[in-house]
């Protein structure tokens, strides 16, 4: 044991034995984790559950409420899904705003974080072992070789979902003024709000699929008998855009006070057009500031080379 400890100290530094013990512990945990996840259900628990629950129906109409056998992650739901209701709702809302509406979205998201984190950690450990066999690596560099890939692999799904959510919000924001104009035309032509939402969703499907999908969900939920106020508020929550939230507030207040929907849409559509023009002007005013650094880096060095270059060459030639 003393010889092994001396060899590890020479190869990995003073913390070499501790690092080997830690890696061995991680390996043992990963080795025993599948056995805990695949733990068989107690027959007595299954009998008790069957005694207190009514018999499940196997009709096709009931299959949507039963977990599918094709879902390989169903057995790991306790491990992959947050048990806190608030945390689960927050992750689910984040995925909804990113466009992931599957009932297993939270489970798949956490599984990807876990799998990519462990995979990158193992890859970093392999790379660290290869580097140790070729040269001497200090302890800090070794920890960074192993830990940084694992952290990147774990954070990659979160970064992807965040970027996708922001992109989707921007697309909905850009499409919303045009959708209000189309909705106003439909309402003034004599259609109801539900009919105008269906028509707008069909018209926007090619150019703005994100907003068209949200309007289609609203129409389907309204046809299913869900309260219109609840449907509109759910749409605002799924989109996560302030303009949609303000639109929902206007529509709900118009329905409660009995005012004309067309008048409310006309005023709000005009405000959204003005707001879009102001956003365009704001982006245009930011452009010169953003281009200043690039202009200086790309223009000043060539100009200085053209103006001062011949003089420097002449001075060097005369003194040479």
């Amino acid at each position: 044991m003393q010889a092994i400890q001396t060899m590890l100290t020479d190869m990995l530094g003073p913390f070499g034995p501790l690092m080997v013990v830690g890696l061995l512990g991680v390996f043992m945990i990963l080795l025993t984790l599948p056995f805990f996840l695949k733990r068989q259900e107690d027959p007595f628990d299954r009998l008790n559950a069957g005694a207190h629950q009514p018999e499940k129906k196997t009709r096709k109409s009931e299959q949507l409420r039963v977990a599918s056998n094709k879902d390989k992650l169903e057995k790991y739901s306790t491990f992959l899904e947050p048990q806190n209701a608030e945390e689960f709702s927050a992750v689910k809302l984040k995925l909804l705003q990113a466009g992931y509406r599957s009932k297993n979205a939270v489970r798949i998201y956490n599984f990807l974080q876990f799998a990519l984190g462990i995979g990158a950690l193992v890859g970093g450990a392999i790379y660290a072992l290869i580097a140790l066999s070729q040269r001497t690596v200090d302890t800090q560099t070794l920890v960074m070789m192993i830990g940084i890939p694992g952290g990147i692999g774990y954070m990659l799904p979160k970064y992807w979902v965040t970027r996708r959510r922001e992109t989707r919000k921007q697309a909905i924001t850009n499409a919303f003024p045009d959708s209000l104009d189309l909705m106003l035309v439909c309402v003034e032509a004599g259609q109801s709000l539900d009919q105008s939402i269906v028509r707008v969703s069909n018209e926007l499907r090619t150019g703005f699929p994100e907003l068209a999908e949200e309007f289609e969900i609203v129409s389907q939920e309204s046809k299913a008998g869900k309260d219109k106020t609840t449907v509109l508020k759910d749409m605002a929550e799924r989109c996560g855009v302030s303009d949609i939230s303000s639109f929902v507030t206007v529509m709900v207040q118009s329905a409660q006070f009995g005012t004309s929907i067309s008048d409310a849409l006309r005023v709000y559509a005009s405000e959204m057009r003005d707001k879009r023009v102001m956003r365009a002007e704001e982006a245009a005013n930011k452009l010169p500031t953003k281009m200043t650094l690039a202009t200086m880096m790309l223009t000043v060095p060539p100009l200085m080379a053209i103006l001062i270059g011949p003089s420097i060459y002449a001075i060097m030639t005369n003194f040479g």
Side-chain angles (χ1 to χ4, degrees):
M1 294 296 295
Q2 185 66 30
I4 295 175
Q5 183 177 1
T6 304
M7 182 182 65
L8 294 176
T9 304
D10 295 337
M11 292 179 60
L12 304 178
F15 297 99
L18 183 61
M19 295 175 58
V20 172
V21 172
L23 291 176
L24 183 60
V26 173
F27 177 74
M28 295 298 296
I29 292 174
L30 295 177
L31 187 63
T32 56
L33 189 59
F35 295 97
F36 285 100
L37 294 177
K38 293 183 179 180
R39 183 175 52 186
Q40 298 294 330
E41 185 180 2
D42 193 348
F44 291 101
D45 294 338
R46 187 164 57 248
L47 290 174
N48 292 331
H52 295 285
Q53 292 181 358
E55 185 179 358
K56 293 183 179 180
K57 299 180 181 180
T58 57
R59 295 181 302 175
K60 291 184 178 180
S61 59
E62 300 291 335
Q63 289 180 356
L64 292 176
R65 299 177 178 87
V66 182
S68 175
N69 293 328
K70 296 181 180 179
D71 187 9
K72 302 299 183 181
L73 301 177
E74 177 68 24
K75 62 181 72 174
Y76 310 128
S77 59
T78 305
F79 176 73
L80 293 177
E81 291 182 353
Q83 300 303 310
N84 188 2
E86 295 181 357
E87 185 179 355
F88 181 83
S89 300
V91 177
K92 186 176 181 180
L93 178 61
K94 182 179 180 180
L95 293 174
L96 280 175
Q97 293 177 354
Y100 300 105
R101 295 187 177 87
S102 174
K103 63 180 181 179
N104 303 326
V106 178
R107 193 180 306 157
I108 296 173
Y109 171 72
N110 290 328
F111 171 74
L112 288 176
Q113 279 192 313
F114 176 76
L116 291 177
I118 294 298
L121 191 66
V122 173
I126 294 174
Y127 175 74
L129 291 176
I130 295 175
L132 284 174
S133 62
Q134 296 178 352
R135 66 183 188 276
T136 303
V137 181
D138 58 348
T139 305
Q140 183 178 0
T141 305
L142 189 64
V143 172
M144 293 176 62
M145 286 181 181
I146 299 175
I148 290 178
I152 292 175
Y154 180 79
M155 297 299 296
L156 186 61
K158 183 179 294 187
Y159 171 77
W160 172 264
V161 171
T162 303
R163 287 295 303 271
R164 184 176 175 86
R165 183 178 64 170
E166 295 300 326
T167 303
R168 191 170 181 272
K169 285 183 179 181
Q170 187 64 37
I172 292 175
T173 302
N174 295 333
F176 189 59
D178 295 333
S179 69
L180 285 181
D181 292 335
L182 291 174
M183 193 178 299
L184 177 61
V185 172
C186 294
V187 171
E188 290 182 343
Q191 293 183 344
S192 64
L193 182 62
D194 296 337
Q195 293 174 340
S196 63
I197 288 176
V198 174
R199 184 59 184 269
V200 169
S201 66
N202 294 330
E203 294 293 335
L204 294 178
R205 192 178 306 277
T206 303
F208 307 102
E210 296 86 2
L211 188 58
E213 187 178 1
E214 293 295 336
F215 280 136
E216 185 177 1
I217 293 174
V218 170
S219 64
Q220 295 296 333
E221 290 181 348
S222 299
K223 290 179 182 177
K226 197 173 181 180
D227 183 58
K228 185 180 296 183
T229 302
T230 305
V231 170
L232 292 175
K233 289 182 178 179
D234 290 343
M235 175 187 173
E237 189 176 9
R238 287 194 307 269
C239 294
V241 179
S242 59
D243 295 342
I244 303 290
S245 301
S246 301
F247 166 74
V248 171
T249 303
V250 170
M251 291 294 100
V252 171
Q253 291 179 352
S254 177
Q256 289 178 349
F257 295 110
T259 58
S260 174
I261 295 178
S262 61
D263 294 340
L265 280 176
R266 186 179 299 107
V267 174
Y268 196 71
S270 177
E271 291 181 359
M272 287 297 101
R273 286 194 297 270
D274 295 339
K275 192 173 182 179
R276 180 169 59 181
V277 171
M278 287 189 292
R279 283 198 299 264
E281 292 177 351
E282 181 181 1
N285 292 329
K286 288 181 180 179
L287 190 60
T289 305
K290 294 180 179 179
M291 292 182 61
T292 300
L293 183 60
T295 303
M296 292 178 61
M297 294 179 61
L298 298 176
T299 304
V300 175
L303 183 63
M304 295 297 292
I306 293 173
L307 295 177
I308 305 177
S311 302
I312 296 177
Y313 178 76
I315 294 172
M316 294 178 61
T317 303
N318 294 330
F319 284 96

